[in-house]
Amino acid sequence: MESIWFKPEFSNEIIQNPNILDQTQNVITDIISGRIEITTLVENMAGVLTNKDVDKRDKGMRFFTKMLKELPQDYLSDIQIKFISKFYEDRLKDNHKIIPTVLEGYLAVIDMKNYNMQNCGEFFTTLFREVPCQSQVRQDRHHIYLIVQKLLDKDVNYIKSLGPDFVYGVISSIEGERDPRNLLFLFNFIPTFLNRVPLGHLTEEMFDVISCYYPIDFHPSPNDPAAVTRQDLAAALIPCMCAVPEFAEHCLVLLVEKLDSTLRVAKIDSLKLLAESCKTFKPESYKPFLKTLWSSIHREITHKTDSDLKMAAHEALSGLVSRLATTVNTDQEFENFVKAIIISIQTALASSSTVSQFSQSSKILLTTANASMESCFLVTKCMVPAIAAYYEFKTSSKLQIASIEFLGDLYDIAKHWNMLKELDEKIDEILQLCLLAVSQTSSDYQIAGFRTMIKMADVLKSNLILPFVEVLTYNVQHSQDSELLKISVEAIHAIARYNPEIIMNLVVKGKCELDNLMEDKTNFQKRLNLLSNLASIDVFTTLIVEEMLKIITDDRDSAPKVVEALNESMSDTTLYTDEKITEIESDHGLTDSVINWLLREIKLGTCEETYNHGFMLISNTISSLPEDKQQIIISKYTNELLDECKTNDMNFLIIESLYLSIHENYYDVVIKDIMTLALRLSLNSEIDTVRMKACVLVGHFLNKADHGQKFDLLYELLKDYLSSCRRDDLSLCPRLIQLYAWITKALVMRSSGQFLFWLEKILVSITSEDYAKEGAEAIRLIVSDFQEYLSRRQHCRITPFYKQRIFQSFSNLTAKLDLLNSEVKEYYLLSWAYILAKTPKSVLNNHPNRVSCLVIDGLEYDNKDLLVVMLDVLCHFVQAKHGVVADSLQTILPRLIKLSTYVKSMDVRIKSLQNLFEIAKGYPTSVLLPYKQDVLLEIAPSLDDKKRLVRNMAVQARTRWFLVGAPGENKDN
């Protein structure tokens, strides 16, 4: 029987059948099979498409559009598409109720393979004439913008041929848009549009339409689960404002005006706009504004407290100098601008009485020099001799130290721009100042001198090496200052890279030779650190490593110090690459020496702290080796160590250090035995360290095992072992919770959904009076980062957003928790605090009601760790002006006032006062006035706090609250 859509009666069927939209796939089948032409279908639908009742016409259009969207995109011919395009174009003149379906349908037409751009000229004409965009609902406006975007991407040349009428239509469509999602779409699209389509005489009109949003003043609804933020909109708007050079004059006039605004966000956005504009505007565009721009930039850079504002000002200065530098060979404007900066800052430097003032001014010059090769030349040429003279002139030790550090920074920038030749005659002068500084008895002078010398080690001349090395070796032998020792070691290493023979004779074979070192037990460790550091340089490796390994083998008293020195140095990946460690292992058998030493010490019952560095050294060495070399070493020792574990659990720590850093795809039959041993020790060993490291190794195996059979075998082994444990042994519970934590961490980090099973077990412990503390500690462990466990260096699988996943999963698991008693609730909230501290603020923004309840509850407890996190999250919500804070002020303010005098933690006092300050600054006067008097009275004790930071914050908070309701202050939003 022939289907109804083959007949003219199809129109009546569409009108009368409430389920007709479910029939589109059947119609498509007949179209594709060739049984009916789409033009015939439209003719059979004529009755409904031309019906006097607009709702019936709309139903017909919805049926046709749905069918069109479901058709294969490569099915219709260009003639058929032209027919349908014209059909939709005519429908634009219909009732406004029809328009949404027309726009949705035309988007489907555009996506057709055989769509011809010639179809869109008349469509746009009709669209812009018949459909006032801003009179449509949000989704329909979005569809109009999407049509423009898609057609521009299809054929930009044809779109350009549509001329000014098309441009005017686009401008008219976007003018007045207020929806944040649509605006975000437009702001991301407009730069592309402007760069592809010439605006002609409509340039000013387009800029006016865009600039009316600048600067963005927007606060998202607290009930929006995926709100667009002010920051999102502001970041997207800035490139629109300076998308084409033709916007320059209009943009810069507005930018200069907003830089003088009292609104912080207006200033920051304007500075960011200035930096962005330098990518597109021509250098000459800035000429009339340079004096004003420098004045504004300088003012914001010298702002006392706002680091974001200062950073934006530095970026703006860098962009401006870099842009102007492109004209260096055509006019004097660039050179005059940079010289004006230099003169201005020289005056500020000369009058500096504090390091803060000096540093602030010197950073401006560094930003200027770093912006371009040309500005680097001007700044270094002028400032290097000036600062060298400044050092001699200033008697303040702190300012002299700051000046040496500044010279080092200038050298770095000159080296970056390959301009050391221009500095050649001044390099020795800088190094002489460094030598003068390191010859002082003050460690601060020495540290500053060595830092700058390290930067210049590649140009250090031989006549200066000996005096530097004399000071350095003296420091290594005699200094008790840990920071000076560290920098001295770095300095010798830096010199050795460029002058290995001199350091070999003066240091390695001289005052720090190993035989000499062992005679002086007091300074033995310090000089070992230097030599193990130098061992990373090829020339020194064999000599130093062989001597050190000999001590490990032959001298029991000195061995722990040698192992510690090697571990400390070889853990530094900037010194020792994987290739270097592999070379040392292959040539000298490092792990053999260390493992044999550990086995000997464990058998002798030596104190655990003596050989901890040995375990770390093995683990880090194994992590650097390729898989085949890992296998050789591990196979060599595994069976022997398994036997040793039968008599002493401590031997397991060697097994753990060997297996901790295996590659992901490393697997052998013994791992099953190691896993069983680790599970047994994690619950039954009486040694805390062994239990913890056994848990860690279980986690590592579960994290690294390949998906499929290998993982399944280990996971089943885990479940079988735990199911065999005695259920009535309550002493196991804390140990089980620790094991669950490492299992959960390992699984969630590899993005395995099985982590939920173990997380739920931990939640059960948190809600138990007996084990709530252990449960909270397990949560802390799960969300904390450890360099030595489950890290990338140990080849672990780490999915990027696992902490967000913990947040969401814990939130879901705790959504229906019953009321908890006070003691349990404290640990429950502490668990949340550990999670919130590690969750990005952008994620917390999506759950303001849930998080704010936890935060407010957390402020009740006398727990420093809990309070610090909750106050930090609260401050974020206050600054973001979430409505939940305003709704809960009656509860929040008394708790903040009480915590402002919290005696157990200065951090808690400061964060409480900071919240009070931000509330007074950010919320409407009408909301705050009822609380003003109470806050002013109760905050008084903090004004007498002996701690300077607390007192300063209390003064700021009290001042802000005093101004609540004052004329011109804190206006309602």
Side-chain angles (χ1 to χ4, degrees):
M1 181 179 174
E2 197 173 57
S3 301
I4 187 67
W5 42 87
F6 288 88
K7 304 173 185 178
E9 291 86 349
F10 186 39
S11 288
N12 291 331
E13 178 68 14
I14 291 174
I15 293 170
Q16 295 169 7
N17 186 347
N19 301 315
I20 191 64
L21 292 179
D22 298 334
Q23 296 293 317
T24 52
Q25 277 299 324
N26 296 327
V27 177
I28 289 170
T29 300
D30 284 342
I31 291 173
I32 293 175
S33 66
R35 297 181 64 204
I36 186 171
E37 288 284 337
I38 197 164
T39 51
T40 305
L41 181 70
V42 174
E43 290 172 5
N44 290 340
M45 292 176 63
V48 68
L49 295 175
T50 59
N51 195 290
K52 292 181 180 180
D53 188 327
V54 66
D55 291 329
K56 293 174 181 176
R57 294 203 305 279
D58 180 46
K59 189 176 181 184
M61 285 299 298
R62 283 190 287 116
F63 179 88
F64 188 77
T65 293
K66 183 173 183 291
M67 180 207 68
L68 197 66
K69 289 168 67 177
E70 293 170 356
L71 264 175
Q73 291 183 344
D74 61 351
Y75 177 74
L76 296 178
S77 67
D78 57 345
I79 295 174
Q80 290 172 317
I81 291 174
K82 183 176 181 180
F83 168 79
I84 295 170
S85 181
K86 179 63 177 170
F87 166 70
Y88 274 109
E89 178 193 323
D90 291 340
R91 293 301 94 199
L92 287 171
K93 304 169 189 175
D94 206 333
N95 188 281
H96 67 90
K97 288 186 178 181
I98 308 294
I99 300 304
T101 310
V102 175
L103 297 173
E104 190 179 345
Y106 203 75
L107 278 169
V109 174
I110 292 170
D111 288 333
M112 297 291 181
K113 180 180 178 182
N114 294 316
Y115 179 85
N116 191 319
M117 285 295 291
Q118 304 290 329
N119 297 325
C120 75
E122 286 300 318
F123 180 86
F124 275 129
T125 301
T126 307
L127 174 67
F128 294 144
R129 184 181 67 241
E130 302 291 340
V131 182
C133 181
Q134 292 306 313
S135 298
Q136 313 307 308
V137 298
R138 187 200 73 81
Q139 187 61 44
D140 296 339
R141 301 197 304 276
H142 178 73
H143 283 159
I144 291 173
Y145 307 144
L146 201 55
I147 288 170
V148 175
Q149 183 199 47
K150 286 193 170 190
L151 290 171
L152 182 67
D153 290 341
K154 267 187 176 292
D155 190 342
V156 65
N157 290 324
Y158 181 80
I159 293 296
K160 287 162 69 173
S161 74
L162 297 178
D165 288 343
F166 169 75
V167 175
Y168 183 76
V170 173
I171 293 173
S172 301
S173 297
I174 66 180
E175 184 175 16
E177 178 61 66
R178 303 299 297 171
D179 179 79
R181 287 180 178 79
N182 277 349
L183 283 173
L184 192 59
F185 176 88
L186 284 173
F187 293 163
N188 285 312
F189 164 64
I190 283 173
T192 303
F193 178 86
L194 296 175
N195 278 288
R196 292 182 176 184
V197 181
L199 299 175
H201 67 280
L202 295 170
T203 298
E204 187 171 354
E205 284 81 353
M206 176 61 89
F207 183 80
D208 288 344
V209 167
I210 298 169
S211 63
C212 72
Y213 299 103
Y214 182 82
I216 291 288
D217 182 18
F218 170 71
H219 302 290
S221 167
N223 299 319
D224 189 340
V228 174
T229 66
R230 195 210 81 86
Q231 289 77 14
D232 294 334
L233 291 170
L237 174 61
I238 284 171
C240 300
M241 300 279 291
C242 55
V244 288
E246 292 81 3
F247 280 177
E249 183 179 353
H250 309 296
C251 178
L252 291 170
V253 169
L254 180 60
L255 186 152
V256 167
E257 176 192 332
K258 297 302 180 184
L259 278 173
D260 280 336
S261 169
T262 57
L263 291 174
R264 175 179 179 271
V265 292
K267 289 184 178 185
I268 290 179
D269 284 357
S270 296
L271 290 166
K272 288 181 178 178
L273 174 56
L274 176 56
E276 184 72 19
S277 74
C278 294
K279 299 174 184 177
T280 50
F281 291 171
K282 296 176 181 178
E284 55 266 28
S285 303
Y286 299 95
K287 188 172 181 179
F289 306 96
L290 284 178
K291 188 174 181 180
T292 305
L293 287 173
W294 164 238
S295 175
S296 297
I297 290 171
H298 189 212
R299 181 186 65 230
E300 304 312 336
I301 281 180
T302 54
H303 197 286
K304 289 184 178 179
T305 57
D306 197 323
S307 57
D308 290 339
L309 196 56
K310 292 163 79 168
M311 178 63 72
H314 275 284
E315 290 172 357
L317 177 61
S318 178
L320 186 57
V321 171
S322 177
R323 190 60 171 155
L324 293 174
T326 59
T327 68
V328 69
N329 296 320
T330 57
D331 61 39
Q332 286 292 110
E333 204 63 52
F334 164 74
E335 189 170 338
N336 292 340
F337 181 64
V338 174
K339 284 184 176 178
I341 294 173
I342 293 172
I343 292 169
S344 172
I345 300 307
Q346 275 184 326
T347 304
L349 285 172
S351 61
S352 296
S353 58
T354 66
V355 172
S356 176
Q357 291 170 344
F358 181 92
S359 175
Q360 185 171 259
S361 298
S362 63
K363 283 177 182 176
I364 295 173
L365 288 174
L366 293 173
T367 296
T368 305
N370 202 36
S372 72
M373 181 188 297
E374 295 77 12
S375 60
C376 176
F377 173 76
L378 292 172
V379 172
T380 52
K381 179 183 176 183
C382 183
M383 293 310 301
V384 170
I387 295 300
Y390 178 91
Y391 181 90
E392 301 291 341
F393 170 73
K394 282 290 179 182
T395 56
S396 164
S397 60
K398 290 184 178 179
L399 287 171
Q400 284 185 320
I401 288 167
S403 66
I404 289 178
E405 292 174 342
F406 179 40
L407 286 170
D409 293 335
L410 283 175
Y411 176 84
D412 269 349
I413 293 172
K415 187 175 182 179
H416 167 75
W417 289 112
N418 197 24
M419 297 196 66
L420 292 184
K421 286 184 180 179
E422 286 74 8
L423 270 181
D424 190 43
E425 60 187 42
K426 295 296 177 185
I427 284 175
D428 277 354
E429 190 174 349
I430 297 173
L431 286 168
Q432 287 287 357
L433 282 180
C434 291
L435 185 57
L436 185 62
V438 303
S439 302
Q440 304 283 336
T441 55
S442 163
S443 61
D444 290 336
Y445 268 104
Q446 288 195 329
I447 289 167
F450 286 134
R451 277 184 182 150
T452 297
M453 187 231 78
I454 288 168
K455 294 177 180 181
M456 303 176 68
D458 56 333
V459 293
L460 185 63
K461 293 180 180 177
S462 56
N463 65 313
L464 290 177
I465 292 176
L466 183 59
F468 271 113
V469 172
E470 287 291 332
V471 177
L472 288 165
T473 52
Y474 180 86
N475 286 346
V476 171
Q477 291 169 341
H478 302 291
S479 176
Q480 302 303 314
D481 186 315
S482 59
E483 188 177 2
L484 180 57
L485 273 171
K486 186 174 184 294
I487 200 75
S488 297
V489 170
E490 289 177 20
I492 293 177
H493 187 279
I495 296 172
R497 283 205 310 270
Y498 302 101
N499 302 275
E501 290 183 7
I502 294 175
I503 297 301
M504 178 73 82
N505 294 325
L506 293 177
V507 178
V508 178
K509 291 185 176 179
K511 295 179 181 179
C512 286
E513 189 177 4
L514 283 166
D515 289 340
N516 294 335
L517 293 183
M518 293 176 66
E519 294 175 7
D520 182 0
K521 300 299 181 182
T522 306
N523 297 307
F524 183 49
Q525 187 70 58
K526 293 187 291 187
R527 283 173 276 169
L528 277 175
N529 290 340
L530 168 61
L531 290 171
S532 61
N533 184 296
L534 290 174
S536 65
I537 300 173
D538 291 344
V539 177
F540 305 112
T541 303
T542 297
L543 176 64
I544 295 174
V545 170
E546 285 187 354
E547 287 296 319
M548 286 188 158
L549 294 184
K550 185 179 178 183
I551 294 174
I552 293 173
T553 302
D554 298 340
D555 189 327
R556 188 185 170 205
D557 292 337
S558 302
K561 294 185 183 297
V562 175
V563 172
E564 181 180 350
L566 282 171
N567 179 52
E568 293 289 345
S569 294
M570 294 178 73
S571 296
D572 186 345
T573 54
T574 61
L575 288 177
Y576 285 86
T577 63
D578 287 347
E579 292 74 20
K580 187 66 183 176
I581 293 176
T582 301
E583 174 201 316
I584 291 172
E585 174 58 35
S586 298
D587 293 349
H588 306 287
L590 173 65
T591 52
D592 285 346
S593 297
V594 177
I595 289 174
N596 288 327
W597 170 70
L598 285 170
L599 285 167
R600 189 169 65 243
E601 294 300 313
I602 290 171
K603 190 169 290 185
L604 292 169
T606 311
C607 175
E608 184 182 325
E609 285 73 19
T610 304
Y611 43 77
N612 272 340
H613 284 283
F615 300 130
M616 293 175 63
L617 181 55
I618 293 172
S619 176
N620 288 336
T621 301
I622 295 293
S623 76
S624 298
L625 303 179
E627 185 181 342
D628 58 335
K629 291 189 179 297
Q630 283 186 350
Q631 190 168 5
I632 292 169
I633 294 171
I634 291 172
S635 300
K636 181 178 179 180
Y637 287 101
T638 297
N639 289 331
E640 177 189 352
L641 289 167
L642 285 172
D643 285 339
E644 294 289 343
C645 286
K646 293 174 183 176
T647 56
N648 189 340
D649 290 354
M650 288 298 293
N651 288 295
F652 174 80
L653 299 182
I654 306 178
I655 293 179
E656 189 255 5
S657 64
L658 282 170
Y659 279 87
L660 198 68
S661 300
I662 57 174
H663 287 279
E664 283 181 17
N665 53 354
Y666 179 94
Y667 189 88
D668 62 34
V669 292
V670 185
I671 283 183
K672 191 175 178 182
D673 296 333
I674 304 290
M675 178 81 161
T676 303
L677 174 63
L679 287 168
R680 177 176 66 79
L681 293 176
S682 70
L683 301 180
N684 299 314
S685 177
E686 295 307 314
I687 304 171
D688 292 345
T689 306
V690 172
R691 287 201 308 274
M692 189 274 287
K693 292 203 172 186
C695 293
V696 169
L697 192 57
V698 169
H700 271 250
F701 284 159
L702 292 174
N703 179 270
K704 294 182 195 178
D706 281 346
H707 298 278
Q709 184 180 13
K710 291 177 182 177
F711 176 82
D712 293 341
L713 284 171
L714 291 179
Y715 196 69
E716 286 303 315
L717 178 63
L718 166 69
K719 292 197 295 184
D720 289 345
Y721 185 86
L722 291 178
S723 65
S724 68
C725 293
R726 289 178 57 189
R727 304 296 175 90
D728 57 344
D729 188 354
L730 296 180
S731 65
L732 281 183
C733 288
R735 301 179 181 186
L736 279 168
I737 294 168
Q738 182 180 8
L739 177 60
Y740 294 162
W742 284 104
I743 294 170
T744 306
K745 186 178 181 71
L747 293 175
V748 72
M749 287 178 76
R750 69 174 288 160
S751 198
S752 169
Q754 287 156 315
F755 83 92
L756 279 169
F757 173 79
W758 306 95
L759 182 62
E760 195 163 1
K761 285 180 174 291
I762 293 170
L763 178 59
V764 170
S765 69
I766 294 171
T767 57
S768 161
E769 289 187 24
D770 295 326
Y771 305 109
K773 183 178 180 180
E774 287 81 359
E777 180 60 22
I779 295 296
R780 186 195 65 79
L781 188 152
I782 291 167
V783 296
S784 296
D785 294 318
F786 301 97
Q787 285 187 334
E788 65 272 37
Y789 307 123
L790 286 168
S791 68
R792 294 197 184 279
R793 184 172 184 181
Q794 294 162 326
H795 313 293
C796 293
R797 304 174 193 266
I798 305 177
T799 189
F801 304 111
Y802 79 91
K803 291 177 185 176
Q804 288 93 311
R805 196 169 182 191
I806 286 290
F807 168 84
Q808 192 61 59
S809 301
F810 200 71
S811 182
N812 293 338
L813 289 173
T814 58
K816 297 181 180 179
L817 269 185
D818 294 332
L819 291 175
L820 303 171
N821 67 44
S822 180
E823 184 177 350
V824 169
K825 188 171 182 180
E826 178 180 343
Y827 287 110
Y828 166 71
L829 291 170
L830 183 59
S831 302
W832 262 117
Y834 293 138
I835 293 172
L836 295 179
K838 299 294 185 179
T839 304
K841 296 293 193 293
S842 57
V843 176
L844 303 185
N845 286 339
N846 297 331
H847 306 272
N849 294 321
R850 176 82 165 116
V851 174
S852 63
C853 290
L854 295 166
V855 168
I856 294 168
D857 285 350
L859 299 182
E860 279 192 284
Y861 290 88
D862 183 9
N863 185 312
K864 182 190 73 172
D865 294 336
L866 172 61
L867 290 170
V868 166
V869 174
M870 294 314 193
L871 287 167
D872 183 62
V873 176
L874 177 62
C875 193
H876 168 71
F877 276 11
V878 169
Q879 290 172 337
K881 297 182 181 177
H882 280 290
V884 291
V885 177
D887 295 340
S888 306
L889 282 178
Q890 191 172 2
T891 305
I892 293 171
L893 286 173
R895 295 180 185 180
L896 289 177
I897 293 168
K898 180 180 177 182
L899 292 172
S900 69
T901 55
Y902 187 76
V903 295
K904 297 181 182 178
S905 168
M906 186 171 72
D907 284 344
V908 170
R909 301 203 296 279
I910 291 174
K911 287 180 181 294
S912 302
L913 291 162
Q914 184 181 4
N915 272 285
L916 287 168
F917 174 80
E918 293 292 345
I919 288 171
K921 185 172 71 171
Y923 283 84
T925 296
S926 57
V927 175
L928 301 179
L929 274 175
Y931 310 102
K932 177 179 177 180
Q933 195 63 33
D934 289 341
V935 173
L936 289 174
L937 288 172
E938 297 295 333
I939 207 173
S942 297
L943 297 171
D944 299 321
D945 198 296
K946 294 179 182 179
K947 302 291 186 180
R948 180 177 58 82
L949 290 173
V950 176
R951 188 170 60 251
N952 288 349
M953 183 55 73
V955 170
Q956 291 182 47
R958 186 172 175 84
T959 302
R960 175 58 66 176
W961 274 94
F962 180 79
L963 292 171
V964 167
E969 285 288 334
N970 210 23
K971 299 293 186 186
D972 285 2
N973 295 331

